[in-house]
Amino acid sequence: QVQLVESGGGLVQPGGSLRLSCAASGFIFSNYAMRWYRRAPGKERELVAPIISDGHSSNYADSVKGRFTISRDNAKNTVYLQMNSLKPEDTAVYYCNAVGGTYYGPDKGWKYDYWGQGTQVTVSS
């Protein structure tokens, strides 16, 4: 059974830091690209940061560049999102996503596409 379990969310003051974790099970983690998404109230889901199987990451959302860092530990089947200098506009539910197998294009997406249940991050004084 595939599971992605996020943790590490919470309430933090502006300028603070949080580290999100996503523990994966039920599939070969090292074969999958991992992403962090977020959805803020009243807004569309946004891709925050992706990381491919070898640990290379790029294409951070412009809104988080220089503040957030995605990383992965294939030995622990875990992906992380280090969030620094948090702003109120970072408030959202953060989701972990795993994709793998064949990519069928923008309409059909990936053969394997798994999601976690999300963790709430609230940045407020």
Side-chain angles (χ1 to χ4, degrees):
Q1 180 183 359
V2 171
Q3 281 193 311
L4 294 173
V5 180
E6 299 100 334
S7 60
L11 174 63
V12 63
Q13 292 187 341
S17 298
L18 283 175
R19 189 175 84 152
L20 305 183
S21 299
C22 172
S25 60
F27 61 99
I28 303 175
F29 179 78
S30 58
N31 288 351
Y32 283 66
M34 301 297 297
R35 300 111 164 247
W36 285 99
Y37 282 83
R38 68 185 181 186
R39 187 190 296 272
K43 294 189 176 181
E44 296 290 319
R45 186 178 65 192
E46 176 187 27
L47 174 60
V48 175
I51 187 167
I52 60 176
S53 57
D54 66 0
H56 179 70
S57 61
S58 62
N59 298 324
Y60 286 83
D62 288 342
S63 57
V64 307
K65 282 180 182 177
R67 300 188 299 120
F68 289 11
T69 303
I70 188 171
S71 61
R72 67 190 294 162
D73 186 336
N74 287 342
K76 295 183 178 180
N77 290 353
T78 301
V79 62
Y80 305 97
L81 186 67
Q82 178 66 45
M83 305 186 295
N84 299 328
S85 302
L86 282 161
K87 305 175 181 180
E89 51 264 42
D90 295 317
T91 295
V93 178
Y94 284 72
Y95 297 92
C96 176
N97 171 238
V99 293
T102 303
Y103 181 61
Y104 296 110
D107 292 333
K108 294 186 177 181
W110 292 87
K111 181 175 183 179
Y112 303 108
D113 190 347
Y114 307 129
W115 291 86
Q117 81 290 348
T119 186
Q120 176 70 47
V121 171
T122 302
V123 185
S124 175
S125 55

